[in-house]
Amino acid sequence: MLLDEDPATLIHHTIGNFNIHPDKHAIARINESLSTLHQARNLRVRDSESALKKLSRNLANLSSQHQDTIASHSTTTHASQILELDTQKFRVAKTASDLEIEGERLEQEVESLKSKLAELEAQGVEGDEVERAKREAEDPTLLKLKVYRSLGIDAEADASGCYSKAIIRNDRIGDFHVVSVDPKACKNFYANHIWQVL
């Protein structure tokens, strides 16, 4: 087939009319993006591999510790320890229960003693009226002391328990006298002296 123009010229004009420069720029940008993505992917792969190695090392350490713990753990020792702790727990619970019962008993005893104390305090040092009257009726010394007190005379006992002094109060003149009593002296002398002071 014969052509009017040279084929090389035709090919050159055809190539010139295609305008492939924008396509070349687009391909260059695509290649650059692919290169950047490839680098980023490689970087992420390296980071993932590093993290995987670190996790693998941690897993190996933990597995080793786990194996050591399992090897050192004895089920019979563990069971005996649990049994001993249960025994101690029951002992402590029983002791606490006993102490609680004892505490309640002591509280009741304290309440009983408080009520007795209140009753005794209400009666006073000499007891209630019935007890005092009973004692005074049986004890002639108390009867004598009561008569003396009604006259304004207080008998004072010494260390041996004998009445060796008499304190005589005279309310009319606001005075008092102390008389020492000698058991060897005459009773009439003391009686006359006391009546004179009164």
Side-chain angles (χ1 to χ4, degrees):
M1 173 175 182
L2 295 171
L3 298 172
D4 293 337
E5 295 183 17
D6 184 26
T9 304
L10 287 173
I11 290 172
H12 182 66
H13 286 302
T14 303
I15 290 172
N17 288 333
F18 269 124
N19 193 12
I20 60 171
H21 292 296
D23 294 334
K24 282 183 179 180
H25 287 302
I27 290 172
R29 283 196 309 273
I30 289 170
N31 286 334
E32 187 178 346
S33 296
L34 285 173
S35 174
T36 305
L37 286 172
H38 184 65
Q39 289 175 357
R41 181 180 175 280
N42 287 338
L43 183 62
R44 288 182 66 186
V45 166
R46 279 197 301 271
D47 290 342
S48 297
E49 287 174 351
S50 174
L52 181 60
K53 287 177 183 176
K54 185 177 178 182
L55 290 173
S56 297
R57 284 195 301 272
N58 285 342
L59 177 62
N61 288 335
L62 291 173
S63 296
S64 173
Q65 290 175 5
H66 178 65
Q67 293 300 327
D68 290 343
T69 304
I70 289 174
S72 65
H73 180 69
S74 171
T75 55
T76 55
T77 305
H78 180 67
S80 66
Q81 286 176 349
I82 293 294
L83 183 63
E84 183 180 349
L85 289 173
D86 280 346
T87 306
Q88 289 178 1
K89 180 179 75 172
F90 288 127
R91 266 196 223 122
V92 168
K94 185 180 182 312
T95 305
S97 175
D98 292 345
L99 289 175
E100 188 176 348
I101 292 170
E102 181 67 13
E104 289 175 359
R105 187 190 68 76
L106 290 175
E107 282 180 6
Q108 291 174 352
E109 190 174 336
V110 165
E111 290 301 321
S112 171
L113 290 174
K114 281 182 181 176
S115 65
K116 286 182 182 177
L117 177 63
E119 184 180 329
L120 290 174
E121 285 178 348
Q123 290 177 3
V125 178
E126 296 181 0
D128 60 359
E129 294 296 328
V130 176
E131 289 293 323
R132 267 199 302 261
K134 186 177 176 184
R135 264 199 323 272
E136 288 173 0
E138 293 173 356
D139 192 352
T141 306
L142 289 176
L143 288 173
K144 287 178 186 176
L145 288 173
K146 189 173 181 183
V147 171
Y148 290 152
R149 282 193 194 111
S150 68
L151 295 173
I153 303 169
D154 287 330
E156 190 174 294
D158 59 9
S160 64
C162 297
Y163 294 101
S164 60
K165 286 185 184 177
I167 301 170
I168 306 164
R169 290 183 177 78
N170 191 335
D171 293 333
R172 286 177 293 153
I173 59 174
D175 195 12
F176 72 93
H177 296 277
V178 178
V179 177
S180 295
V181 178
D182 186 1
K184 296 176 184 174
C186 177
K187 292 181 182 180
N188 288 332
F189 168 75
Y190 287 116
N192 290 334
H193 179 67
I194 289 170
W195 281 114
Q196 287 173 2
V197 171
L198 287 174

